[in-house]
Amino acid sequence: MRLPKLLAGLALASVALAACGTAGGGGTSNKGVIKIAVDLPESGAETSNGIPTLNGVKFAVQQMGSVDGFTLQVFNLDDAVNGVHDPQKGAQNVQQFVDDTKVLGVVGPFNSSVARAEIPITNRAHLVQISPANTNQCLTKDVYIPQSLSGLADVDCKAAGLPFPKDLRPTGTNNYFRVATTDDNQGPAMSDYAYKTLSIKKVGVASDAEAYGKGIADTFSARFKNNGGTIVKRQDFPNASHVSDFRSFLRAALAAGAQGIYFGGTDSNNACVVRNQMKGIFPDSAPFMGGDGIVTGQCIKDAAAKVVGMYGTVATVAAEKVSGAQATIDAFKKAFPNKDDYGAYTMPAYDSAKILVAAIDKAIKANNSNMPSRQQVLDQMAKTDYTGVLGHTSFDDKGDTTNKVITVYSVKDATTGWEVTSSVSLS
Amino acid sequence: MGAGGPPPLPLEQVATLAGALKGTRSALSGSLGTWSFLGGTILILSVLLLPKAVASPAFFLQILIYGVANGAIFALIALGYTMVYGIIELINFAHGDIFTLGAFLALPLVGLFGMTDSTPFSFGVVLILLLVTAVVMVIDGGINVAIERLAYRPLRNAPRLAILITAVGMSFILEGVMYIWRGANNVHFPDVLPGSRIPIPGGASLGVKDVIVIVSAVILVSLLNVFTGNSKLGKAMRATAQDREAAQLMGININRTIAATFFIGAALAAAGGIIFGLYFNNIRFDEGFTAGLFAFTAAVFGGIGNIQGAALGGLFIGLVQAFSNAYFQAALTDVWIFAILILVLVCRPTGLLGMQVPEK
């Protein structure tokens, strides 16, 4: 009987020590525990996605330690099954969060498909969810590709095979927020970068004919024409994963005067095989452009001899390009010294956790320093007005960040791979 | 009377049309049909392509080269389909995966000799590649013979559907094994062939790789042609294809002959797989699914069971793909290919050069 007591004493002591270790944590931690839940894919092939992201939350919570006398704890669950993110597992995880009364908010998930399974569950419980990485527009918007971007008619989410945001929110109110912007901004951002920075006026455009790939290719093309450029050749390849030869298209584009190629699609649909086949057809200086579907390690392998000169957009802020954020990045790298500890989503996760705790803080203060309800945290979250390592973040009524920044990655050196090259702001 | 006659019933119209079609079919079944079809195809293609070819001959030539090279690879796969169908009337759906397996088997061997993208091209490289290809042809052929022995031979006298489904099953099994072996992503095949190109006056250029692909395919198809025409085993294969029972009565070992057919078909597909790998430098576990489908289409197009027909069909599909992707809509490339196939089969079910299958 004495052993559990002893253990409890030890635990209390360590909590007290942890509280002492943080500066300005807000007094003693005797009011109990508030859990920051985290759902990410943390195992198998997804380790490189989930763990650096989880580290961002851990680092933020370590720094803060406590909020208004409540000790902060990270409660993380893995949504990967056999090493691949799994919507069903994600749904089980958030159900566990909902059942734990100490959980006041969830950071995650990483994948939009997982978010689609989780939002209905957290929504019924009025539990705040903030994702550092989701970029699919249909989580928050009805329109998949707006007419204004494609130059064609609106493509709504149903037409793209996805549920509408309202279908994911049974209570009719929003509880989901994100710090990444949406994929429909990827095409326009690359278009601006190509036209203004790379000074390309004629482009050949192709896609894998899927909702994502054709969508970003259409939005790229519409914006590029708007900028004053010309799309000299346009093709869509259905079953692109089974197309082995893209050279006829590349030759036709070159013959029509293309200075570069934009391919809307993913590496699994041979996007980077297209890049590889530019070998011997296009000069080395001709860029190959695409969306986040090509900003992958597999793309580097597929493009082989033609890796240098690839440009891809990612719908998140790169903290490296935000003034004043470098100090936090350095501090993080001191606390988490391994190279694999830091990733593209570490700082977005860090800010997500800080934004969530800031809302909890305001909710506690509005509730006479008592443990607030989840609804009270949600009310404060919607009013977020926060400046951090991603710049200034606030949310529109759908839960999308007003800080619409697309980061351009490129490969300058075959050995270093993808690196942050530029930031394109669309807000 | 004249205009006062009752209009013909729709049914009668259909009957007339069907009759006319039947008439066309029988009229087109001989060598006259072959030539009229070849002539017609060339005519349609020239109407569609000639203005574009004249406008930019160099570009046209470039696309033609791509089409011929791709067609050569399709032809190598199509031969296996056509030989197997010719001898046991089986659409061997697993054949496309035997093609992929050829490239996958070559990868560790090529790696064993330390070949990478940066390996300079030399006489030694050629020797190693020939050696690897020979070894893989034997292994892949052996695997196909084993498949035939285990999965097809016991069903040889079962209803056609049973053996067909077995072949579909083998296809999935092979793909599954290759998936577990190399994963879902593209696998990089070392780019060891020289990337240099021979300029052609006018602006086009002929890649050394294109030449290697086309020449190897021509050599392999010619060897096969000579083999089936002149060798003892080749004659046995043709005899078995014509009439299995009669061949058996003449003392031909049917099982051995059929196994040999599977071996040769797979060996050619393996060579095709390695050529594909060396040419495109990327191959995936399910590459054989579509490649096999197109190759099978090529075999039917040329006349199933007919070796020259399969080669011609492969070439034709390669050309349609290349021209469609360059001049027309890539989204409709497959539509073109299969529309042409349907047209050929409706008017001439025996294919371009005529079927060579067992007589009933």
Side-chain angles (χ1 to χ4, degrees), chain B residues 178-217:
Chain B
M178 287 188 284
Y179 170 81
I180 290 168
W181 184 15
R182 307 301 304 231
N185 291 319
N186 278 321
V187 179
H188 185 69
F189 205 100
D191 186 12
V192 290
L193 295 184
S196 46
R197 309 184 68 85
I198 306 155
I200 299 171
S205 64
L206 180 63
V208 173
K209 277 187 179 185
D210 300 320
V211 178
I212 293 173
V213 169
I214 296 165
V215 168
S216 344

mmCIF file of all heavy atoms in Angstrom, chain B residues 178-217:
data_model
loop_
_atom_site.group_PDB
_atom_site.id
_atom_site.type_symbol
_atom_site.label_atom_id
_atom_site.label_comp_id
_atom_site.label_asym_id
_atom_site.label_seq_id
_atom_site.Cartn_x
_atom_site.Cartn_y
_atom_site.Cartn_z
ATOM 1 N N MET B 178 6.134 -9.053 -56.215
ATOM 2 C CA MET B 178 7.038 -7.954 -56.601
ATOM 3 C C MET B 178 6.803 -6.728 -55.714
ATOM 4 O O MET B 178 7.731 -5.988 -55.402
ATOM 5 C CB MET B 178 6.846 -7.605 -58.075
ATOM 6 C CG MET B 178 7.447 -8.667 -58.984
ATOM 7 S SD MET B 178 7.440 -8.206 -60.714
ATOM 8 C CE MET B 178 5.737 -8.464 -61.146
ATOM 9 N N TYR B 179 5.533 -6.530 -55.283
ATOM 10 C CA TYR B 179 5.223 -5.422 -54.386
ATOM 11 C C TYR B 179 5.950 -5.588 -53.055
ATOM 12 O O TYR B 179 6.553 -4.661 -52.535
ATOM 13 C CB TYR B 179 3.712 -5.342 -54.167
ATOM 14 C CG TYR B 179 3.299 -4.388 -53.082
ATOM 15 C CD1 TYR B 179 3.224 -3.025 -53.326
ATOM 16 C CD2 TYR B 179 2.994 -4.845 -51.805
ATOM 17 C CE1 TYR B 179 2.860 -2.145 -52.329
ATOM 18 C CE2 TYR B 179 2.629 -3.975 -50.804
ATOM 19 C CZ TYR B 179 2.559 -2.626 -51.068
ATOM 20 O OH TYR B 179 2.210 -1.761 -50.069
ATOM 21 N N ILE B 180 5.897 -6.833 -52.531
ATOM 22 C CA ILE B 180 6.560 -7.083 -51.242
ATOM 23 C C ILE B 180 8.072 -6.936 -51.397
ATOM 24 O O ILE B 180 8.762 -6.411 -50.535
ATOM 25 C CB ILE B 180 6.184 -8.485 -50.714
ATOM 26 C CG1 ILE B 180 4.707 -8.477 -50.303
ATOM 27 C CG2 ILE B 180 7.065 -8.905 -49.554
ATOM 28 C CD1 ILE B 180 4.133 -9.836 -50.047
ATOM 29 N N TRP B 181 8.557 -7.369 -52.548
ATOM 30 C CA TRP B 181 9.995 -7.342 -52.799
ATOM 31 C C TRP B 181 10.520 -5.914 -52.919
ATOM 32 O O TRP B 181 11.492 -5.538 -52.249
ATOM 33 C CB TRP B 181 10.280 -8.153 -54.077
ATOM 34 C CG TRP B 181 11.709 -8.315 -54.422
ATOM 35 C CD1 TRP B 181 12.788 -8.092 -53.614
ATOM 36 C CD2 TRP B 181 12.224 -8.741 -55.688
ATOM 37 N NE1 TRP B 181 13.939 -8.351 -54.296
ATOM 38 C CE2 TRP B 181 13.635 -8.756 -55.575
ATOM 39 C CE3 TRP B 181 11.640 -9.124 -56.894
ATOM 40 C CZ2 TRP B 181 14.460 -9.119 -56.640
ATOM 41 C CZ3 TRP B 181 12.466 -9.493 -57.937
ATOM 42 C CH2 TRP B 181 13.854 -9.490 -57.804
ATOM 43 N N ARG B 182 9.913 -5.087 -53.776
ATOM 44 C CA ARG B 182 10.475 -3.769 -54.066
ATOM 45 C C ARG B 182 9.595 -2.598 -53.659
ATOM 46 O O ARG B 182 9.964 -1.449 -53.884
ATOM 47 C CB ARG B 182 10.783 -3.608 -55.572
ATOM 48 C CG ARG B 182 11.650 -4.675 -56.209
ATOM 49 C CD ARG B 182 13.025 -4.830 -55.602
ATOM 50 N NE ARG B 182 13.847 -3.654 -55.568
ATOM 51 C CZ ARG B 182 15.108 -3.604 -56.029
ATOM 52 N NH1 ARG B 182 15.638 -4.651 -56.616
ATOM 53 N NH2 ARG B 182 15.815 -2.529 -55.899
ATOM 54 N N GLY B 183 8.422 -2.837 -53.074
ATOM 55 C CA GLY B 183 7.570 -1.753 -52.614
ATOM 56 C C GLY B 183 6.706 -1.151 -53.698
ATOM 57 O O GLY B 183 6.749 -1.560 -54.856
ATOM 58 N N ALA B 184 5.910 -0.148 -53.278
ATOM 59 C CA ALA B 184 4.882 0.396 -54.155
ATOM 60 C C ALA B 184 5.427 1.433 -55.131
ATOM 61 O O ALA B 184 4.803 1.737 -56.128
ATOM 62 C CB ALA B 184 3.777 1.024 -53.311
ATOM 63 N N ASN B 185 6.599 1.990 -54.832
ATOM 64 C CA ASN B 185 7.088 3.113 -55.640
ATOM 65 C C ASN B 185 7.858 2.644 -56.868
ATOM 66 O O ASN B 185 8.204 1.475 -56.990
ATOM 67 C CB ASN B 185 7.998 3.997 -54.797
ATOM 68 C CG ASN B 185 7.212 4.718 -53.727
ATOM 69 O OD1 ASN B 185 6.103 5.204 -53.982
ATOM 70 N ND2 ASN B 185 7.763 4.768 -52.532
ATOM 71 N N ASN B 186 8.136 3.605 -57.736
ATOM 72 C CA ASN B 186 8.999 3.332 -58.871
ATOM 73 C C ASN B 186 10.366 2.852 -58.385
ATOM 74 O O ASN B 186 10.889 3.360 -57.399
ATOM 75 C CB ASN B 186 9.219 4.609 -59.675
ATOM 76 C CG ASN B 186 8.075 4.878 -60.633
ATOM 77 O OD1 ASN B 186 7.533 3.955 -61.236
ATOM 78 N ND2 ASN B 186 7.702 6.128 -60.773
ATOM 79 N N VAL B 187 10.913 1.890 -59.074
ATOM 80 C CA VAL B 187 12.260 1.422 -58.771
ATOM 81 C C VAL B 187 13.175 1.952 -59.874
ATOM 82 O O VAL B 187 12.849 1.858 -61.056
ATOM 83 C CB VAL B 187 12.305 -0.118 -58.736
ATOM 84 C CG1 VAL B 187 13.706 -0.606 -58.457
ATOM 85 C CG2 VAL B 187 11.337 -0.652 -57.706
ATOM 86 N N HIS B 188 14.300 2.519 -59.457
ATOM 87 C CA HIS B 188 15.195 3.104 -60.454
ATOM 88 C C HIS B 188 16.075 2.033 -61.075
ATOM 89 O O HIS B 188 16.663 1.214 -60.381
ATOM 90 C CB HIS B 188 16.059 4.187 -59.809
ATOM 91 C CG HIS B 188 16.910 4.919 -60.795
ATOM 92 N ND1 HIS B 188 16.365 5.761 -61.736
ATOM 93 C CD2 HIS B 188 18.239 4.912 -61.008
ATOM 94 C CE1 HIS B 188 17.345 6.250 -62.478
ATOM 95 N NE2 HIS B 188 18.483 5.747 -62.063
ATOM 96 N N PHE B 189 16.129 2.030 -62.385
ATOM 97 C CA PHE B 189 16.978 1.101 -63.126
ATOM 98 C C PHE B 189 18.188 1.891 -63.608
ATOM 99 O O PHE B 189 18.023 2.952 -64.207
ATOM 100 C CB PHE B 189 16.198 0.540 -64.320
ATOM 101 C CG PHE B 189 16.690 -0.794 -64.791
ATOM 102 C CD1 PHE B 189 16.047 -1.961 -64.424
ATOM 103 C CD2 PHE B 189 17.803 -0.884 -65.610
ATOM 104 C CE1 PHE B 189 16.494 -3.197 -64.859
ATOM 105 C CE2 PHE B 189 18.271 -2.120 -66.041
ATOM 106 C CZ PHE B 189 17.612 -3.275 -65.663
ATOM 107 N N PRO B 190 19.416 1.423 -63.308
ATOM 108 C CA PRO B 190 20.597 2.227 -63.649
ATOM 109 C C PRO B 190 20.621 2.640 -65.117
ATOM 110 O O PRO B 190 20.326 1.841 -66.006
ATOM 111 C CB PRO B 190 21.766 1.294 -63.339
ATOM 112 C CG PRO B 190 21.237 0.267 -62.445
ATOM 113 C CD PRO B 190 19.765 0.154 -62.679
ATOM 114 N N ASP B 191 20.982 3.897 -65.330
ATOM 115 C CA ASP B 191 21.009 4.452 -66.679
ATOM 116 C C ASP B 191 22.420 4.260 -67.238
ATOM 117 O O ASP B 191 23.247 5.155 -67.198
ATOM 118 C CB ASP B 191 20.659 5.939 -66.587
ATOM 119 C CG ASP B 191 20.520 6.579 -67.948
ATOM 120 O OD1 ASP B 191 20.477 5.828 -68.934
ATOM 121 O OD2 ASP B 191 20.453 7.816 -68.016
ATOM 122 N N VAL B 192 22.710 3.050 -67.759
ATOM 123 C CA VAL B 192 24.081 2.758 -68.179
ATOM 124 C C VAL B 192 24.284 2.886 -69.688
ATOM 125 O O VAL B 192 25.410 2.948 -70.155
ATOM 126 C CB VAL B 192 24.539 1.348 -67.722
ATOM 127 C CG1 VAL B 192 24.724 1.312 -66.222
ATOM 128 C CG2 VAL B 192 23.543 0.288 -68.144
ATOM 129 N N LEU B 193 23.190 2.920 -70.433
ATOM 130 C CA LEU B 193 23.353 3.069 -71.887
ATOM 131 C C LEU B 193 23.756 4.511 -72.194
ATOM 132 O O LEU B 193 23.400 5.424 -71.470
ATOM 133 C CB LEU B 193 22.043 2.730 -72.612
ATOM 134 C CG LEU B 193 21.569 1.282 -72.498
ATOM 135 C CD1 LEU B 193 20.317 1.077 -73.339
ATOM 136 C CD2 LEU B 193 22.651 0.311 -72.943
ATOM 137 N N PRO B 194 24.500 4.720 -73.272
ATOM 138 C CA PRO B 194 24.940 6.089 -73.574
ATOM 139 C C PRO B 194 23.750 6.981 -73.906
ATOM 140 O O PRO B 194 22.819 6.564 -74.590
ATOM 141 C CB PRO B 194 25.840 5.909 -74.798
ATOM 142 C CG PRO B 194 25.473 4.587 -75.371
ATOM 143 C CD PRO B 194 24.994 3.740 -74.242
ATOM 144 N N GLY B 195 23.782 8.200 -73.374
ATOM 145 C CA GLY B 195 22.687 9.131 -73.629
ATOM 146 C C GLY B 195 22.894 9.948 -74.888
ATOM 147 O O GLY B 195 22.085 10.811 -75.210
ATOM 148 N N SER B 196 23.989 9.682 -75.616
ATOM 149 C CA SER B 196 24.299 10.519 -76.780
ATOM 150 C C SER B 196 23.286 10.305 -77.899
ATOM 151 O O SER B 196 22.646 9.263 -77.994
ATOM 152 C CB SER B 196 25.712 10.215 -77.282
ATOM 153 O OG SER B 196 25.883 8.822 -77.342
ATOM 154 N N ARG B 197 23.155 11.329 -78.715
ATOM 155 C CA ARG B 197 22.160 11.287 -79.782
ATOM 156 C C ARG B 197 22.819 11.585 -81.112
ATOM 157 O O ARG B 197 23.740 12.389 -81.197
ATOM 158 C CB ARG B 197 21.047 12.304 -79.504
ATOM 159 C CG ARG B 197 20.452 12.189 -78.107
ATOM 160 C CD ARG B 197 19.290 13.142 -77.928
ATOM 161 N NE ARG B 197 18.172 12.747 -78.752
ATOM 162 C CZ ARG B 197 17.264 11.840 -78.387
ATOM 163 N NH1 ARG B 197 17.364 11.262 -77.214
ATOM 164 N NH2 ARG B 197 16.280 11.527 -79.188
ATOM 165 N N ILE B 198 22.330 10.907 -82.139
ATOM 166 C CA ILE B 198 22.856 11.127 -83.481
ATOM 167 C C ILE B 198 21.977 12.169 -84.157
ATOM 168 O O ILE B 198 20.783 11.918 -84.354
ATOM 169 C CB ILE B 198 22.828 9.819 -84.301
ATOM 170 C CG1 ILE B 198 23.554 8.700 -83.525
ATOM 171 C CG2 ILE B 198 23.413 10.019 -85.686
ATOM 172 C CD1 ILE B 198 23.099 7.311 -83.891
ATOM 173 N N PRO B 199 22.527 13.351 -84.501
ATOM 174 C CA PRO B 199 21.674 14.365 -85.114
ATOM 175 C C PRO B 199 21.264 13.962 -86.524
ATOM 176 O O PRO B 199 22.045 13.372 -87.274
ATOM 177 C CB PRO B 199 22.543 15.622 -85.120
ATOM 178 C CG PRO B 199 23.931 15.141 -84.959
ATOM 179 C CD PRO B 199 23.909 13.795 -84.336
ATOM 180 N N ILE B 200 20.014 14.249 -86.840
ATOM 181 C CA ILE B 200 19.499 13.993 -88.187
ATOM 182 C C ILE B 200 19.305 15.359 -88.838
ATOM 183 O O ILE B 200 18.767 16.259 -88.194
ATOM 184 C CB ILE B 200 18.155 13.238 -88.115
ATOM 185 C CG1 ILE B 200 18.341 11.892 -87.413
ATOM 186 C CG2 ILE B 200 17.555 13.055 -89.505
ATOM 187 C CD1 ILE B 200 17.042 11.186 -87.101
ATOM 188 N N PRO B 201 19.742 15.531 -90.089
ATOM 189 C CA PRO B 201 19.575 16.835 -90.738
ATOM 190 C C PRO B 201 18.114 17.288 -90.648
ATOM 191 O O PRO B 201 17.206 16.514 -90.884
ATOM 192 C CB PRO B 201 19.969 16.568 -92.188
ATOM 193 C CG PRO B 201 20.827 15.357 -92.137
ATOM 194 C CD PRO B 201 20.412 14.562 -90.947
ATOM 195 N N GLY B 202 17.903 18.534 -90.232
ATOM 196 C CA GLY B 202 16.549 19.051 -90.104
ATOM 197 C C GLY B 202 16.191 19.370 -88.661
ATOM 198 O O GLY B 202 15.286 20.136 -88.406
ATOM 199 N N GLY B 203 16.910 18.776 -87.719
ATOM 200 C CA GLY B 203 16.673 19.150 -86.322
ATOM 201 C C GLY B 203 16.337 17.992 -85.410
ATOM 202 O O GLY B 203 16.489 18.082 -84.205
ATOM 203 N N ALA B 204 15.860 16.867 -85.955
ATOM 204 C CA ALA B 204 15.552 15.731 -85.094
ATOM 205 C C ALA B 204 16.848 15.032 -84.699
ATOM 206 O O ALA B 204 17.919 15.342 -85.222
ATOM 207 C CB ALA B 204 14.631 14.763 -85.814
ATOM 208 N N SER B 205 16.753 14.124 -83.753
ATOM 209 C CA SER B 205 17.939 13.359 -83.400
ATOM 210 C C SER B 205 17.526 11.962 -82.993
ATOM 211 O O SER B 205 16.455 11.740 -82.458
ATOM 212 C CB SER B 205 18.692 14.053 -82.261
ATOM 213 O OG SER B 205 17.890 14.064 -81.115
ATOM 214 N N LEU B 206 18.429 11.028 -83.284
ATOM 215 C CA LEU B 206 18.167 9.625 -82.994
ATOM 216 C C LEU B 206 19.051 9.234 -81.818
ATOM 217 O O LEU B 206 20.272 9.292 -81.914
ATOM 218 C CB LEU B 206 18.501 8.795 -84.245
ATOM 219 C CG LEU B 206 18.304 7.293 -84.174
ATOM 220 C CD1 LEU B 206 16.849 6.951 -83.953
ATOM 221 C CD2 LEU B 206 18.796 6.649 -85.457
ATOM 222 N N GLY B 207 18.409 8.859 -80.694
ATOM 223 C CA GLY B 207 19.183 8.472 -79.526
ATOM 224 C C GLY B 207 19.842 7.127 -79.732
ATOM 225 O O GLY B 207 19.269 6.252 -80.393
ATOM 226 N N VAL B 208 21.050 6.978 -79.197
ATOM 227 C CA VAL B 208 21.714 5.678 -79.266
ATOM 228 C C VAL B 208 20.841 4.628 -78.588
ATOM 229 O O VAL B 208 20.744 3.481 -79.021
ATOM 230 C CB VAL B 208 23.107 5.773 -78.616
ATOM 231 C CG1 VAL B 208 23.747 4.402 -78.517
ATOM 232 C CG2 VAL B 208 23.996 6.717 -79.409
ATOM 233 N N LYS B 209 20.170 5.063 -77.499
ATOM 234 C CA LYS B 209 19.253 4.166 -76.790
ATOM 235 C C LYS B 209 18.133 3.681 -77.707
ATOM 236 O O LYS B 209 17.775 2.504 -77.675
ATOM 237 C CB LYS B 209 18.615 4.909 -75.622
ATOM 238 C CG LYS B 209 19.435 4.965 -74.373
ATOM 239 C CD LYS B 209 18.557 5.589 -73.296
ATOM 240 C CE LYS B 209 19.263 5.676 -71.976
ATOM 241 N NZ LYS B 209 18.353 6.157 -70.938
ATOM 242 N N ASP B 210 17.574 4.614 -78.500
ATOM 243 C CA ASP B 210 16.496 4.226 -79.421
ATOM 244 C C ASP B 210 16.989 3.135 -80.362
ATOM 245 O O ASP B 210 16.305 2.139 -80.602
ATOM 246 C CB ASP B 210 16.023 5.433 -80.251
ATOM 247 C CG ASP B 210 15.488 6.565 -79.387
ATOM 248 O OD1 ASP B 210 14.797 6.264 -78.400
ATOM 249 O OD2 ASP B 210 15.777 7.737 -79.696
ATOM 250 N N VAL B 211 18.208 3.350 -80.890
ATOM 251 C CA VAL B 211 18.778 2.380 -81.829
ATOM 252 C C VAL B 211 18.921 1.027 -81.146
ATOM 253 O O VAL B 211 18.534 -0.004 -81.708
ATOM 254 C CB VAL B 211 20.152 2.872 -82.344
ATOM 255 C CG1 VAL B 211 20.761 1.846 -83.277
ATOM 256 C CG2 VAL B 211 20.004 4.219 -83.029
ATOM 257 N N ILE B 212 19.458 1.039 -79.925
ATOM 258 C CA ILE B 212 19.677 -0.231 -79.214
ATOM 259 C C ILE B 212 18.361 -0.966 -79.025
ATOM 260 O O ILE B 212 18.259 -2.171 -79.267
ATOM 261 C CB ILE B 212 20.381 0.031 -77.865
ATOM 262 C CG1 ILE B 212 21.797 0.548 -78.115
ATOM 263 C CG2 ILE B 212 20.408 -1.227 -77.002
ATOM 264 C CD1 ILE B 212 22.534 1.003 -76.882
ATOM 265 N N VAL B 213 17.323 -0.233 -78.599
ATOM 266 C CA VAL B 213 16.015 -0.857 -78.359
ATOM 267 C C VAL B 213 15.464 -1.455 -79.643
ATOM 268 O O VAL B 213 15.053 -2.622 -79.680
ATOM 269 C CB VAL B 213 15.024 0.180 -77.777
ATOM 270 C CG1 VAL B 213 13.611 -0.363 -77.782
ATOM 271 C CG2 VAL B 213 15.429 0.565 -76.368
ATOM 272 N N ILE B 214 15.475 -0.657 -80.693
ATOM 273 C CA ILE B 214 14.862 -1.119 -81.945
ATOM 274 C C ILE B 214 15.646 -2.302 -82.519
ATOM 275 O O ILE B 214 15.066 -3.319 -82.907
ATOM 276 C CB ILE B 214 14.772 0.050 -82.955
ATOM 277 C CG1 ILE B 214 13.834 1.132 -82.396
ATOM 278 C CG2 ILE B 214 14.272 -0.429 -84.307
ATOM 279 C CD1 ILE B 214 13.939 2.471 -83.097
ATOM 280 N N VAL B 215 16.985 -2.184 -82.529
ATOM 281 C CA VAL B 215 17.809 -3.256 -83.102
ATOM 282 C C VAL B 215 17.647 -4.546 -82.308
ATOM 283 O O VAL B 215 17.459 -5.625 -82.884
ATOM 284 C CB VAL B 215 19.292 -2.808 -83.172
ATOM 285 C CG1 VAL B 215 20.185 -3.990 -83.490
ATOM 286 C CG2 VAL B 215 19.456 -1.715 -84.204
ATOM 287 N N SER B 216 17.648 -4.450 -80.955
ATOM 288 C CA SER B 216 17.501 -5.690 -80.178
ATOM 289 C C SER B 216 16.163 -6.347 -80.457
ATOM 290 O O SER B 216 16.083 -7.575 -80.559
ATOM 291 C CB SER B 216 17.636 -5.465 -78.666
ATOM 292 O OG SER B 216 18.212 -4.260 -78.363
ATOM 293 N N ALA B 217 15.105 -5.529 -80.546
ATOM 294 C CA ALA B 217 13.784 -6.116 -80.792
ATOM 295 C C ALA B 217 13.746 -6.790 -82.160
ATOM 296 O O ALA B 217 13.234 -7.907 -82.284
ATOM 297 C CB ALA B 217 12.708 -5.040 -80.694
#
